[in-house]
């Protein structure tokens, strides 16, 4: 039987894969597991969601499940995922539940759980919850049934937290923010305005069906055009649950997560905040980031793909900054998970403080041309470990030398082998990637 929890909670097609019955059962099991780990008090859970239509249905199911297991529920409404994580700690709750499928299209939804303090649940606890779904448990009655309350100032608490984590005001900046018709539709424009920026918000009218629909961090062309049309200093793009951030400079050029991390790393080092002068990235981060940070005297630690691995490395070594090329940026001193709004505020603060354009700041790194080819195979692990494939990889690495690199790995979710090549030119990278892909396709 496949594991219910993926890399980011339980996710699937709402009302088909992810049914109200499943959501209710997961929530009840989570409450029972946490209550068993700490019997000193009645468990309290914070529940939030993004604005997709199925969120209303699933929120009702989750709250019912929690209350049926004896947990009190604090509903915080439509709020970014990092806002829910923050409020778990802020309100002293034992559990957080975010109902969202992040950047996925509207028909999908998900249930993401946070432990006390707003941290992601360890795998072992997720396994206990999954096991609890198959074990009938007695339900409390009478006064033992949980109560459900609304937290009226949840939004304001989160915005105040963001502003407190912003090192300087943004006066004089003009920014376009693409809210993806998602969870940040209200919080992002408010936070950026209160920090001092002139804000033009686009895709900030969610109707339950238009989340991520041709907008947000996975569709940057609209934002690029808006920045140029408005003469803005920069643009910010969020995904549906606003746990990540990409940017566009005043010229309309995309500034990805690697470039954002480069800017923030240098700003934090200058402020004495970059612990051990170290930045944590995944193996997918561009070689250009490695070169830029080496030249700047910043050490890079590399993890497997996934923000959970970045967070593990940050926490294990007490480090202050890490993230992914996709725009998931982690700043543990201010957030327990990736927070796209916090990232945007820190990035804009650097622009405002230095008086330099985002294009100039992001120019600290030069992105190496990068080509990714996915090859469908019957047995991804066997093919990726094939001597023939490894010999081909070694040959390309030898040809590239210090001017490029190869990353070949099995997909974590599909029967695919991913071939990524970086080289001095896009043409060289494409030729090398196609060559390796052909070897992978022929390997058995």
């Amino acid at each position: 039987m496949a594991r219910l929890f993926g890399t980011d909670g339980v996710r699937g097609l709402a009302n088909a894969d992810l049914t109200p019955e499943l959501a209710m059962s997961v929530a009840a099991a989570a409450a029972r597991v946490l209550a068993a780990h700490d019997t000193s008090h009645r468990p309290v859970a914070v529940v939030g969601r993004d604005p997709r239509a199925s969120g209303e249905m699933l929120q009702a199911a989750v709250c019912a499940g929690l209350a049926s297991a004896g947990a009190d529920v604090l509903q915080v409404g439509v709020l970014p995922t990092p806002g829910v994580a923050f409020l778990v700690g802020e309100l002293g709750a034992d559990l957080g539940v975010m109902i969202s499928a992040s950047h996925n299209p509207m028909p999908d939804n998900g249930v993401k759980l946070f432990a006390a303090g707003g941290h992601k649940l360890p795998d072992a606890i997720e396994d206990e919850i999954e096991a609890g779904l198959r074990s009938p448990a007695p339900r409390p009655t009478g006064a033992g049934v949980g109560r459900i309350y609304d937290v009226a100032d949840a939004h304001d608490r989160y915005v105040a937290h963001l502003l407190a984590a912003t090192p300087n005001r943004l006066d004089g900046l003009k920014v376009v923010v693409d809210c993806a018709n998602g969870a940040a539709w209200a919080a992002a424009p408010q936070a950026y305005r209160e920090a001092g920026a002139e804000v033009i918000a686009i895709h900030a009218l969610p109707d339950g069906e238009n989340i991520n629909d041709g907008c947000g961090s996975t569709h940057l062309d609209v934002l690029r055009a808006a920045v140029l049309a408005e003469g803005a200093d920069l643009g910010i793009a969020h995904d549906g649950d606003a746990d990540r951030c990409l940017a566009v400079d005043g010229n309309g050029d995309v500034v990805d997560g690697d470039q954002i991390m480069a800017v923030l790393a240098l700003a934090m080092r200058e402020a004495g905040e970059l612990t051990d002068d170290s930045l944590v990235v995944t193996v997918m981060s561009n070689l250009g980031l490695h070169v830029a940070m080496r030249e700047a005297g910043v050490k890079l630690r590399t993890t497997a793909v996934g923000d959970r691995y970045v967070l593990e490395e940050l926490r294990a070594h007490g480090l202050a900054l890490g993230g992914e090329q996709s725009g998931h940026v982690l700043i543990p001193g201010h957030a327990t998970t990736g927070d796209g709004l916090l990232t945007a505020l820190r990035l804009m603060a650097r622009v405002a403080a230095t008086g330099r354009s985002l294009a100039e700041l992001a120019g600290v790194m030069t992105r190496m041309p990068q080509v990714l080819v996915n090859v469908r195979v019957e047995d991804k692990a066997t093919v990726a470990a094939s001597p023939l494939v490894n010999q081909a990889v070694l040959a390309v690495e030898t040809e590239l030398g210090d001017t490029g690199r190869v990353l070949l790995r099995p997909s974590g979710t599909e029967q695919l082998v991913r071939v990524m090549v970086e080289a001095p030119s896009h043409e060289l990278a494409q030729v090398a990637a196609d060559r390796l892909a052909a070897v992978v396709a022929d390997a058995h």
Side-chain angles (χ1 to χ4, degrees):
M1 181 179 169
R3 190 171 188 267
L4 178 65
F5 285 91
T7 56
D8 211 11
V10 180
R11 192 176 292 185
L13 181 60
N15 216 28
D17 305 317
L18 180 56
T19 62
E21 292 85 356
L22 177 58
M24 183 173 177
S25 297
V26 168
R32 287 195 298 268
V33 166
L34 289 172
H37 278 263
D38 184 356
T39 59
S40 65
H41 63 283
R42 181 176 175 129
V44 176
V46 170
V47 177
R49 64 179 179 89
D50 72 24
R52 68 188 74 210
S54 60
E56 300 159 3
M57 168 187 74
L58 293 173
Q59 176 176 286
V62 163
C63 291
L66 292 166
S68 75
D72 287 337
V73 179
L74 304 176
Q75 295 186 129
V76 298
V78 172
L79 209 64
T81 290
V84 173
F86 162 72
L87 287 166
V88 173
E90 173 79 358
L91 299 172
D94 305 283
L95 173 69
V97 184
M98 177 65 186
I99 301 162
S100 174
S102 190
H103 59 278
N104 283 28
M106 184 278 290
D108 290 347
N109 216 324
V111 175
K112 184 186 301 188
L113 303 178
F114 293 100
H119 298 284
K120 287 191 173 183
L121 286 183
D123 288 349
I125 298 295
E126 288 183 344
D127 290 341
E128 280 189 59
I129 293 169
E130 191 163 338
L133 296 177
R134 301 185 289 273
S135 306
R139 293 182 177 181
T141 57
V145 173
R147 305 294 298 274
I148 300 176
Y149 306 94
D150 291 324
V151 181
D153 63 346
H155 175 96
D156 292 338
R157 282 180 185 242
Y158 174 53
V159 170
H161 155 70
L162 292 170
L163 295 174
T166 306
N168 52 268
R169 288 189 54 79
L170 311 181
D171 299 294
L173 284 188
K174 184 177 184 179
V175 58
V176 179
V177 54
D178 187 338
C179 301
N181 290 315
W185 76 273
Q190 179 183 339
Y192 305 159
R193 286 189 182 108
E194 291 191 12
E198 178 186 347
V199 178
I200 297 148
I202 61 175
H203 302 125
L205 291 171
D207 62 10
E209 298 181 12
N210 58 4
I211 186 170
N212 298 322
D213 187 7
C215 57
S217 60
T218 54
H219 301 86
L220 292 171
D221 286 348
V222 179
L223 178 62
R224 295 173 68 187
V227 167
L228 294 174
E230 297 288 349
D233 296 294
L234 73 159
I236 296 294
H238 296 301
D239 59 339
D241 72 335
D243 63 352
R244 62 173 161 167
C245 159
L246 293 177
V248 170
D249 67 26
N251 303 317
D253 294 324
V254 174
V255 177
D256 69 12
D258 284 342
Q259 293 168 293
I260 290 171
M261 286 189 289
V263 174
L264 296 186
L266 298 185
M268 291 175 69
R269 188 180 64 171
E270 185 180 294
E273 297 175 343
L274 193 67
T275 311
D276 193 36
D277 288 341
S278 293
L279 171 65
V280 179
V281 300
T282 77
V283 292
M284 289 300 292
S285 276
N286 194 276
L287 182 59
L289 178 60
H290 290 255
V291 172
M293 293 298 94
R294 183 167 63 243
E295 291 177 351
V298 174
K299 294 172 280 189
L300 252 62
R301 292 175 178 264
T302 305
T303 74
V305 175
D307 62 330
R308 68 184 303 150
Y309 301 113
V310 174
L311 186 56
E312 285 173 6
E313 186 75 7
L314 289 167
R315 294 180 69 182
H317 300 280
L319 301 177
L321 179 66
E324 298 184 283
Q325 190 180 60
S326 60
H328 283 108
V329 176
L330 296 145
I331 309 175
H334 299 286
T336 57
T337 187
D339 189 329
L341 281 71
L342 174 64
T343 301
L345 285 163
R346 302 280 292 200
L347 182 66
M348 290 188 283
R350 182 62 170 173
V351 174
T354 61
R356 298 163 67 190
S357 70
L358 179 57
E360 185 181 355
L361 291 171
V364 70
M365 79 165 266
T366 301
R367 277 186 290 193
M368 192 76 73
Q370 187 180 80
V371 171
L372 176 65
V373 179
N374 293 319
V375 185
R376 189 162 295 280
V377 296
E378 289 186 5
D379 187 340
K380 60 187 177 185
T382 299
V383 170
S386 160
L388 187 66
V389 170
N390 288 329
Q391 287 170 14
V393 169
L394 181 60
V396 172
E397 287 177 335
T398 301
E399 291 170 17
L400 292 173
D402 292 335
T403 67
R405 67 175 180 140
V406 176
L407 176 64
L408 188 146
R409 66 184 182 89
S411 165
T413 57
E414 301 176 80
Q415 282 297 341
L416 299 174
V417 172
R418 304 193 192 279
V419 179
M420 190 271 283
V421 177
E422 290 173 338
S425 72
H426 186 273
E427 291 74 19
L428 279 174
Q430 189 71 62
V431 168
D434 289 342
R435 196 169 105 203
L436 288 173
V439 175
V440 169
D442 290 339
H444 299 287

